[in-house]
mmCIF file of all heavy atoms in Angstrom:
data_model
loop_
_atom_site.group_PDB
_atom_site.id
_atom_site.type_symbol
_atom_site.label_atom_id
_atom_site.label_comp_id
_atom_site.label_asym_id
_atom_site.label_seq_id
_atom_site.Cartn_x
_atom_site.Cartn_y
_atom_site.Cartn_z
ATOM 1 N N SER Y 57 75.899 -101.296 -27.825
ATOM 2 C CA SER Y 57 76.628 -100.694 -26.703
ATOM 3 C C SER Y 57 76.773 -99.256 -26.913
ATOM 4 O O SER Y 57 77.106 -98.660 -27.928
ATOM 5 C CB SER Y 57 78.041 -101.263 -26.640
ATOM 6 O OG SER Y 57 78.822 -100.554 -25.708
ATOM 7 N N ALA Y 58 76.553 -98.500 -25.855
ATOM 8 C CA ALA Y 58 76.815 -97.009 -25.855
ATOM 9 C C ALA Y 58 77.701 -96.625 -24.666
ATOM 10 O O ALA Y 58 77.676 -95.643 -24.057
ATOM 11 C CB ALA Y 58 75.479 -96.287 -25.724
ATOM 12 N N ASP Y 59 78.571 -97.618 -24.383
ATOM 13 C CA ASP Y 59 79.337 -97.488 -23.179
ATOM 14 C C ASP Y 59 80.874 -97.615 -23.426
ATOM 15 O O ASP Y 59 81.450 -98.645 -23.372
ATOM 16 C CB ASP Y 59 78.905 -98.621 -22.198
ATOM 17 C CG ASP Y 59 79.675 -98.578 -20.886
ATOM 18 O OD1 ASP Y 59 80.664 -97.714 -20.802
ATOM 19 O OD2 ASP Y 59 79.382 -99.357 -19.997
ATOM 20 N N PRO Y 60 81.462 -96.487 -23.858
ATOM 21 C CA PRO Y 60 82.885 -96.474 -24.246
ATOM 22 C C PRO Y 60 83.798 -97.025 -23.140
ATOM 23 O O PRO Y 60 84.817 -97.642 -23.459
ATOM 24 C CB PRO Y 60 83.173 -95.074 -24.618
ATOM 25 C CG PRO Y 60 81.889 -94.386 -24.851
ATOM 26 C CD PRO Y 60 80.859 -95.095 -23.965
ATOM 27 N N ALA Y 61 83.500 -96.775 -21.904
ATOM 28 C CA ALA Y 61 84.361 -97.121 -20.804
ATOM 29 C C ALA Y 61 84.489 -98.726 -20.786
ATOM 30 O O ALA Y 61 85.575 -99.300 -20.678
ATOM 31 C CB ALA Y 61 83.866 -96.629 -19.527
ATOM 32 N N THR Y 62 83.293 -99.342 -20.883
ATOM 33 C CA THR Y 62 83.303 -100.829 -20.839
ATOM 34 C C THR Y 62 84.052 -101.376 -22.018
ATOM 35 O O THR Y 62 84.839 -102.287 -21.994
ATOM 36 C CB THR Y 62 81.854 -101.387 -20.752
ATOM 37 O OG1 THR Y 62 81.283 -100.854 -19.611
ATOM 38 C CG2 THR Y 62 81.829 -102.900 -20.765
ATOM 39 N N LEU Y 63 83.769 -100.814 -23.281
ATOM 40 C CA LEU Y 63 84.476 -101.272 -24.445
ATOM 41 C C LEU Y 63 86.008 -101.063 -24.329
ATOM 42 O O LEU Y 63 86.772 -101.961 -24.772
ATOM 43 C CB LEU Y 63 83.941 -100.499 -25.656
ATOM 44 C CG LEU Y 63 82.547 -100.710 -26.036
ATOM 45 C CD1 LEU Y 63 82.173 -99.901 -27.238
ATOM 46 C CD2 LEU Y 63 82.254 -102.260 -26.387
ATOM 47 N N GLY Y 64 86.404 -100.027 -23.699
ATOM 48 C CA GLY Y 64 87.827 -99.786 -23.499
ATOM 49 C C GLY Y 64 88.395 -100.875 -22.581
ATOM 50 O O GLY Y 64 89.488 -101.353 -22.813
ATOM 51 N N GLU Y 65 87.692 -101.215 -21.551
ATOM 52 C CA GLU Y 65 88.158 -102.263 -20.646
ATOM 53 C C GLU Y 65 88.245 -103.607 -21.302
ATOM 54 O O GLU Y 65 89.107 -104.375 -21.058
ATOM 55 C CB GLU Y 65 87.234 -102.330 -19.386
ATOM 56 C CG GLU Y 65 87.252 -101.183 -18.446
ATOM 57 C CD GLU Y 65 88.578 -100.989 -17.694
ATOM 58 O OE1 GLU Y 65 89.408 -101.876 -17.717
ATOM 59 O OE2 GLU Y 65 88.747 -99.899 -17.133
ATOM 60 N N VAL Y 66 87.294 -103.845 -22.232
ATOM 61 C CA VAL Y 66 87.329 -105.181 -22.952
ATOM 62 C C VAL Y 66 88.608 -105.215 -23.854
ATOM 63 O O VAL Y 66 89.312 -106.183 -23.771
ATOM 64 C CB VAL Y 66 86.022 -105.288 -23.774
ATOM 65 C CG1 VAL Y 66 86.196 -106.380 -24.843
ATOM 66 C CG2 VAL Y 66 84.843 -105.535 -22.881
ATOM 67 N N LEU Y 67 88.843 -104.108 -24.545
ATOM 68 C CA LEU Y 67 89.981 -104.100 -25.457
ATOM 69 C C LEU Y 67 91.343 -104.150 -24.643
ATOM 70 O O LEU Y 67 92.295 -104.754 -24.981
ATOM 71 C CB LEU Y 67 89.992 -102.872 -26.324
ATOM 72 C CG LEU Y 67 88.915 -103.054 -27.495
ATOM 73 C CD1 LEU Y 67 89.015 -101.847 -28.452
ATOM 74 C CD2 LEU Y 67 89.165 -104.285 -28.365
ATOM 75 N N ALA Y 68 91.356 -103.414 -23.504
ATOM 76 C CA ALA Y 68 92.502 -103.401 -22.693
ATOM 77 C C ALA Y 68 92.816 -104.828 -22.201
ATOM 78 O O ALA Y 68 93.980 -105.248 -22.150
ATOM 79 C CB ALA Y 68 92.311 -102.454 -21.515
ATOM 80 N N LEU Y 69 91.719 -105.552 -21.754
ATOM 81 C CA LEU Y 69 91.916 -106.949 -21.249
ATOM 82 C C LEU Y 69 92.411 -107.839 -22.400
ATOM 83 O O LEU Y 69 93.236 -108.682 -22.225
ATOM 84 C CB LEU Y 69 90.613 -107.466 -20.584
ATOM 85 C CG LEU Y 69 90.840 -108.747 -19.834
ATOM 86 C CD1 LEU Y 69 91.874 -108.644 -18.698
ATOM 87 C CD2 LEU Y 69 89.485 -109.180 -19.195
ATOM 88 N N ALA Y 70 91.837 -107.586 -23.633
ATOM 89 C CA ALA Y 70 92.313 -108.386 -24.786
ATOM 90 C C ALA Y 70 93.849 -108.240 -25.026
ATOM 91 O O ALA Y 70 94.536 -109.220 -25.181
ATOM 92 C CB ALA Y 70 91.554 -107.962 -26.025
ATOM 93 N N GLY Y 71 94.352 -107.055 -24.833
ATOM 94 C CA GLY Y 71 95.775 -106.871 -24.998
ATOM 95 C C GLY Y 71 96.557 -107.471 -23.842
ATOM 96 O O GLY Y 71 97.637 -108.036 -24.061
ATOM 97 N N ASP Y 72 95.982 -107.406 -22.663
ATOM 98 C CA ASP Y 72 96.644 -108.129 -21.523
ATOM 99 C C ASP Y 72 96.739 -109.567 -21.733
ATOM 100 O O ASP Y 72 97.794 -110.204 -21.419
ATOM 101 C CB ASP Y 72 95.860 -107.891 -20.237
ATOM 102 C CG ASP Y 72 95.921 -106.456 -19.711
ATOM 103 O OD1 ASP Y 72 96.772 -105.680 -20.163
ATOM 104 O OD2 ASP Y 72 95.090 -106.029 -18.876
ATOM 105 N N VAL Y 73 95.639 -110.216 -22.288
ATOM 106 C CA VAL Y 73 95.577 -111.652 -22.492
ATOM 107 C C VAL Y 73 96.694 -111.984 -23.534
ATOM 108 O O VAL Y 73 97.447 -112.964 -23.349
ATOM 109 C CB VAL Y 73 94.201 -112.027 -23.040
ATOM 110 C CG1 VAL Y 73 94.214 -113.416 -23.665
ATOM 111 C CG2 VAL Y 73 93.195 -111.943 -21.874
ATOM 112 N N ALA Y 74 96.784 -111.160 -24.584
ATOM 113 C CA ALA Y 74 97.798 -111.475 -25.648
ATOM 114 C C ALA Y 74 99.165 -111.407 -25.080
ATOM 115 O O ALA Y 74 100.035 -112.319 -25.381
ATOM 116 C CB ALA Y 74 97.635 -110.479 -26.813
ATOM 117 N N ARG Y 75 99.483 -110.463 -24.214
ATOM 118 C CA ARG Y 75 100.794 -110.362 -23.613
ATOM 119 C C ARG Y 75 101.073 -111.575 -22.716
ATOM 120 O O ARG Y 75 102.094 -112.218 -22.781
ATOM 121 C CB ARG Y 75 100.921 -109.143 -22.787
ATOM 122 C CG ARG Y 75 101.386 -107.850 -23.605
ATOM 123 C CD ARG Y 75 101.542 -106.618 -22.737
ATOM 124 N NE ARG Y 75 100.384 -106.114 -22.278
ATOM 125 C CZ ARG Y 75 99.544 -105.339 -22.940
ATOM 126 N NH1 ARG Y 75 99.803 -104.966 -24.145
ATOM 127 N NH2 ARG Y 75 98.370 -104.916 -22.395
ATOM 128 N N GLN Y 76 99.986 -111.905 -21.929
ATOM 129 C CA GLN Y 76 100.102 -113.034 -20.924
ATOM 130 C C GLN Y 76 100.326 -114.372 -21.676
ATOM 131 O O GLN Y 76 101.021 -115.255 -21.215
ATOM 132 C CB GLN Y 76 98.783 -113.031 -20.094
ATOM 133 C CG GLN Y 76 98.754 -114.023 -18.955
ATOM 134 C CD GLN Y 76 97.422 -113.845 -18.325
ATOM 135 O OE1 GLN Y 76 97.031 -112.813 -17.916
ATOM 136 N NE2 GLN Y 76 96.766 -114.934 -18.070
ATOM 137 N N GLU Y 77 99.674 -114.486 -22.843
ATOM 138 C CA GLU Y 77 99.760 -115.728 -23.634
ATOM 139 C C GLU Y 77 100.996 -115.754 -24.466
ATOM 140 O O GLU Y 77 101.210 -116.759 -25.281
ATOM 141 C CB GLU Y 77 98.507 -115.899 -24.486
ATOM 142 C CG GLU Y 77 97.212 -116.117 -23.681
ATOM 143 C CD GLU Y 77 97.146 -117.476 -23.004
ATOM 144 O OE1 GLU Y 77 97.469 -118.493 -23.636
ATOM 145 O OE2 GLU Y 77 96.771 -117.478 -21.791
ATOM 146 N N GLY Y 78 101.835 -114.657 -24.450
ATOM 147 C CA GLY Y 78 103.081 -114.693 -25.230
ATOM 148 C C GLY Y 78 102.904 -114.512 -26.735
ATOM 149 O O GLY Y 78 103.754 -115.039 -27.497
ATOM 150 N N LEU Y 79 101.869 -113.845 -27.124
ATOM 151 C CA LEU Y 79 101.590 -113.748 -28.593
ATOM 152 C C LEU Y 79 102.422 -112.555 -29.158
ATOM 153 O O LEU Y 79 101.913 -111.634 -29.798
ATOM 154 C CB LEU Y 79 100.077 -113.499 -28.804
ATOM 155 C CG LEU Y 79 99.140 -114.637 -28.306
ATOM 156 C CD1 LEU Y 79 97.712 -114.238 -28.524
ATOM 157 C CD2 LEU Y 79 99.535 -115.932 -29.009
ATOM 158 N N ASP Y 80 103.696 -112.632 -29.025
ATOM 159 C CA ASP Y 80 104.656 -111.635 -29.368
ATOM 160 C C ASP Y 80 104.719 -111.425 -30.939
ATOM 161 O O ASP Y 80 105.054 -110.378 -31.408
ATOM 162 C CB ASP Y 80 106.073 -111.949 -28.880
ATOM 163 C CG ASP Y 80 106.085 -112.058 -27.359
ATOM 164 O OD1 ASP Y 80 105.244 -111.411 -26.762
ATOM 165 O OD2 ASP Y 80 106.877 -112.885 -26.854
ATOM 166 N N GLY Y 81 104.348 -112.500 -31.732
ATOM 167 C CA GLY Y 81 104.387 -112.406 -33.119
ATOM 168 C C GLY Y 81 103.198 -111.761 -33.724
ATOM 169 O O GLY Y 81 103.071 -111.563 -34.948
ATOM 170 N N GLY Y 82 102.164 -111.437 -32.941
ATOM 171 C CA GLY Y 82 100.950 -110.787 -33.376
ATOM 172 C C GLY Y 82 99.742 -111.671 -33.064
ATOM 173 O O GLY Y 82 99.842 -112.828 -32.681
ATOM 174 N N TYR Y 83 98.615 -111.051 -33.196
ATOM 175 C CA TYR Y 83 97.320 -111.858 -32.896
ATOM 176 C C TYR Y 83 96.199 -111.017 -33.498
ATOM 177 O O TYR Y 83 96.351 -109.891 -34.031
ATOM 178 C CB TYR Y 83 97.137 -111.910 -31.386
ATOM 179 C CG TYR Y 83 97.185 -110.595 -30.648
ATOM 180 C CD1 TYR Y 83 96.030 -109.916 -30.371
ATOM 181 C CD2 TYR Y 83 98.432 -110.046 -30.252
ATOM 182 C CE1 TYR Y 83 96.072 -108.677 -29.673
ATOM 183 C CE2 TYR Y 83 98.473 -108.802 -29.533
ATOM 184 C CZ TYR Y 83 97.372 -108.195 -29.210
ATOM 185 O OH TYR Y 83 97.369 -107.024 -28.590
ATOM 186 N N ARG Y 84 95.053 -111.584 -33.542
ATOM 187 C CA ARG Y 84 93.878 -110.899 -34.051
ATOM 188 C C ARG Y 84 92.758 -110.832 -32.959
ATOM 189 O O ARG Y 84 92.579 -111.770 -32.244
ATOM 190 C CB ARG Y 84 93.390 -111.761 -35.256
ATOM 191 C CG ARG Y 84 92.202 -110.994 -35.933
ATOM 192 C CD ARG Y 84 91.912 -111.564 -37.377
ATOM 193 N NE ARG Y 84 93.029 -111.211 -38.283
ATOM 194 C CZ ARG Y 84 93.162 -111.773 -39.482
ATOM 195 N NH1 ARG Y 84 92.427 -112.775 -39.796
ATOM 196 N NH2 ARG Y 84 94.169 -111.467 -40.173
ATOM 197 N N VAL Y 85 92.128 -109.675 -32.947
ATOM 198 C CA VAL Y 85 90.981 -109.471 -32.040
ATOM 199 C C VAL Y 85 89.770 -109.270 -32.924
ATOM 200 O O VAL Y 85 89.725 -108.448 -33.820
ATOM 201 C CB VAL Y 85 91.151 -108.243 -31.120
ATOM 202 C CG1 VAL Y 85 89.880 -108.019 -30.258
ATOM 203 C CG2 VAL Y 85 92.462 -108.435 -30.290
ATOM 204 N N VAL Y 86 88.718 -110.129 -32.774
ATOM 205 C CA VAL Y 86 87.546 -110.120 -33.559
ATOM 206 C C VAL Y 86 86.315 -109.939 -32.729
ATOM 207 O O VAL Y 86 86.166 -110.709 -31.726
ATOM 208 C CB VAL Y 86 87.441 -111.525 -34.381
ATOM 209 C CG1 VAL Y 86 86.181 -111.572 -35.152
ATOM 210 C CG2 VAL Y 86 88.640 -111.730 -35.287
ATOM 211 N N ILE Y 87 85.426 -109.127 -33.123
ATOM 212 C CA ILE Y 87 84.134 -108.921 -32.458
ATOM 213 C C ILE Y 87 83.055 -109.148 -33.502
ATOM 214 O O ILE Y 87 82.682 -108.227 -34.301
ATOM 215 C CB ILE Y 87 83.939 -107.539 -31.802
ATOM 216 C CG1 ILE Y 87 85.133 -107.310 -30.779
ATOM 217 C CG2 ILE Y 87 82.569 -107.433 -31.109
ATOM 218 C CD1 ILE Y 87 85.081 -105.909 -30.113
ATOM 219 N N ASN Y 88 82.574 -110.403 -33.641
ATOM 220 C CA ASN Y 88 81.438 -110.686 -34.536
ATOM 221 C C ASN Y 88 80.210 -109.980 -34.021
ATOM 222 O O ASN Y 88 79.838 -110.065 -32.807
ATOM 223 C CB ASN Y 88 81.206 -112.157 -34.570
ATOM 224 C CG ASN Y 88 82.307 -112.921 -35.242
ATOM 225 O OD1 ASN Y 88 82.949 -112.421 -36.172
ATOM 226 N ND2 ASN Y 88 82.681 -114.104 -34.720
ATOM 227 N N THR Y 89 79.548 -109.257 -34.919
ATOM 228 C CA THR Y 89 78.392 -108.368 -34.534
ATOM 229 C C THR Y 89 77.263 -108.666 -35.516
ATOM 230 O O THR Y 89 77.320 -108.308 -36.657
ATOM 231 C CB THR Y 89 78.812 -106.857 -34.595
ATOM 232 O OG1 THR Y 89 79.938 -106.731 -33.742
ATOM 233 C CG2 THR Y 89 77.684 -105.994 -34.073
ATOM 234 N N GLY Y 90 76.263 -109.276 -35.016
ATOM 235 C CA GLY Y 90 75.003 -109.490 -35.749
ATOM 236 C C GLY Y 90 75.069 -110.714 -36.653
ATOM 237 O O GLY Y 90 76.166 -111.360 -36.755
ATOM 238 N N PRO Y 91 73.926 -111.071 -37.313
ATOM 239 C CA PRO Y 91 73.773 -112.284 -38.091
ATOM 240 C C PRO Y 91 74.759 -112.337 -39.266
ATOM 241 O O PRO Y 91 75.269 -113.448 -39.542
ATOM 242 C CB PRO Y 91 72.377 -112.273 -38.577
ATOM 243 C CG PRO Y 91 71.830 -110.961 -38.226
ATOM 244 C CD PRO Y 91 72.628 -110.313 -37.174
ATOM 245 N N ASP Y 92 75.036 -111.248 -39.997
ATOM 246 C CA ASP Y 92 75.921 -111.330 -41.157
ATOM 247 C C ASP Y 92 77.337 -111.727 -40.794
ATOM 248 O O ASP Y 92 78.103 -112.269 -41.537
ATOM 249 C CB ASP Y 92 75.928 -109.993 -41.903
ATOM 250 C CG ASP Y 92 74.666 -109.819 -42.790
ATOM 251 O OD1 ASP Y 92 73.801 -110.701 -42.790
ATOM 252 O OD2 ASP Y 92 74.569 -108.722 -43.533
ATOM 253 N N ALA Y 93 77.699 -111.426 -39.506
ATOM 254 C CA ALA Y 93 79.064 -111.708 -39.073
ATOM 255 C C ALA Y 93 79.075 -113.030 -38.337
ATOM 256 O O ALA Y 93 80.134 -113.413 -37.926
ATOM 257 C CB ALA Y 93 79.535 -110.543 -38.137
ATOM 258 N N GLY Y 94 77.967 -113.698 -38.201
ATOM 259 C CA GLY Y 94 77.930 -114.982 -37.558
ATOM 260 C C GLY Y 94 77.963 -114.967 -36.032
ATOM 261 O O GLY Y 94 78.365 -115.953 -35.445
ATOM 262 N N GLN Y 95 77.514 -113.857 -35.446
ATOM 263 C CA GLN Y 95 77.462 -113.801 -33.976
ATOM 264 C C GLN Y 95 76.446 -114.848 -33.468
ATOM 265 O O GLN Y 95 75.334 -114.829 -33.919
ATOM 266 C CB GLN Y 95 77.071 -112.398 -33.489
ATOM 267 C CG GLN Y 95 77.092 -112.344 -31.926
ATOM 268 C CD GLN Y 95 76.724 -110.959 -31.414
ATOM 269 O OE1 GLN Y 95 76.454 -110.062 -32.238
ATOM 270 N NE2 GLN Y 95 76.716 -110.808 -30.128
ATOM 271 N N THR Y 96 76.966 -115.772 -32.665
ATOM 272 C CA THR Y 96 76.051 -116.851 -32.148
ATOM 273 C C THR Y 96 75.623 -116.673 -30.658
ATOM 274 O O THR Y 96 74.629 -117.199 -30.206
ATOM 275 C CB THR Y 96 76.716 -118.243 -32.355
ATOM 276 O OG1 THR Y 96 77.956 -118.266 -31.653
ATOM 277 C CG2 THR Y 96 76.897 -118.571 -33.795
ATOM 278 N N VAL Y 97 76.524 -116.055 -29.917
ATOM 279 C CA VAL Y 97 76.207 -115.762 -28.482
ATOM 280 C C VAL Y 97 75.887 -114.215 -28.346
ATOM 281 O O VAL Y 97 76.761 -113.416 -28.729
ATOM 282 C CB VAL Y 97 77.327 -116.143 -27.554
ATOM 283 C CG1 VAL Y 97 77.018 -115.790 -26.164
ATOM 284 C CG2 VAL Y 97 77.671 -117.655 -27.666
ATOM 285 N N HIS Y 98 74.688 -113.936 -27.878
ATOM 286 C CA HIS Y 98 74.265 -112.533 -27.869
ATOM 287 C C HIS Y 98 74.624 -111.812 -26.553
ATOM 288 O O HIS Y 98 73.713 -111.327 -25.893
ATOM 289 C CB HIS Y 98 72.754 -112.573 -28.238
ATOM 290 C CG HIS Y 98 72.532 -113.222 -29.565
ATOM 291 N ND1 HIS Y 98 72.950 -112.594 -30.793
ATOM 292 C CD2 HIS Y 98 72.060 -114.437 -29.892
ATOM 293 C CE1 HIS Y 98 72.691 -113.470 -31.784
ATOM 294 N NE2 HIS Y 98 72.164 -114.524 -31.291
ATOM 295 N N HIS Y 99 75.877 -111.923 -26.388
ATOM 296 C CA HIS Y 99 76.512 -111.185 -25.268
ATOM 297 C C HIS Y 99 77.836 -110.735 -25.844
ATOM 298 O O HIS Y 99 78.682 -111.604 -26.180
ATOM 299 C CB HIS Y 99 76.680 -111.988 -24.011
ATOM 300 C CG HIS Y 99 77.313 -111.302 -22.799
ATOM 301 N ND1 HIS Y 99 76.815 -111.463 -21.486
ATOM 302 C CD2 HIS Y 99 78.429 -110.664 -22.680
ATOM 303 C CE1 HIS Y 99 77.617 -110.768 -20.699
ATOM 304 N NE2 HIS Y 99 78.647 -110.215 -21.366
ATOM 305 N N LEU Y 100 78.072 -109.468 -25.970
ATOM 306 C CA LEU Y 100 79.227 -108.943 -26.626
ATOM 307 C C LEU Y 100 80.504 -109.689 -26.105
ATOM 308 O O LEU Y 100 80.697 -109.926 -24.948
ATOM 309 C CB LEU Y 100 79.429 -107.422 -26.325
ATOM 310 C CG LEU Y 100 80.439 -106.649 -27.125
ATOM 311 C CD1 LEU Y 100 79.964 -105.178 -27.185
ATOM 312 C CD2 LEU Y 100 81.788 -106.678 -26.461
ATOM 313 N N HIS Y 101 81.374 -110.026 -27.133
ATOM 314 C CA HIS Y 101 82.693 -110.695 -26.764
ATOM 315 C C HIS Y 101 83.686 -110.441 -27.779
ATOM 316 O O HIS Y 101 83.367 -110.388 -28.984
ATOM 317 C CB HIS Y 101 82.444 -112.246 -26.592
ATOM 318 C CG HIS Y 101 81.718 -112.880 -27.660
ATOM 319 N ND1 HIS Y 101 80.384 -112.790 -27.829
ATOM 320 C CD2 HIS Y 101 82.151 -113.612 -28.702
ATOM 321 C CE1 HIS Y 101 80.023 -113.458 -28.956
ATOM 322 N NE2 HIS Y 101 81.134 -113.937 -29.502
ATOM 323 N N ALA Y 102 84.892 -110.316 -27.378
ATOM 324 C CA ALA Y 102 86.039 -110.134 -28.290
ATOM 325 C C ALA Y 102 86.804 -111.547 -28.281
ATOM 326 O O ALA Y 102 87.156 -112.016 -27.248
ATOM 327 C CB ALA Y 102 86.972 -109.007 -27.861
#
Side-chain angles (χ1 to χ4, degrees):
S57 173
D59 180 356
T62 300
L63 294 178
E65 294 289 350
V66 166
L67 286 182
L69 191 58
D72 291 344
V73 166
R75 275 184 290 279
Q76 188 179 307
E77 295 288 316
L79 299 178
D80 304 328
Y83 55 93
R84 185 165 289 166
V85 178
V86 174
I87 301 178
N88 292 323
T89 304
D92 282 1
Q95 182 180 1
T96 58
V97 176
H98 301 290
H99 179 134
L100 190 151
H101 50 282

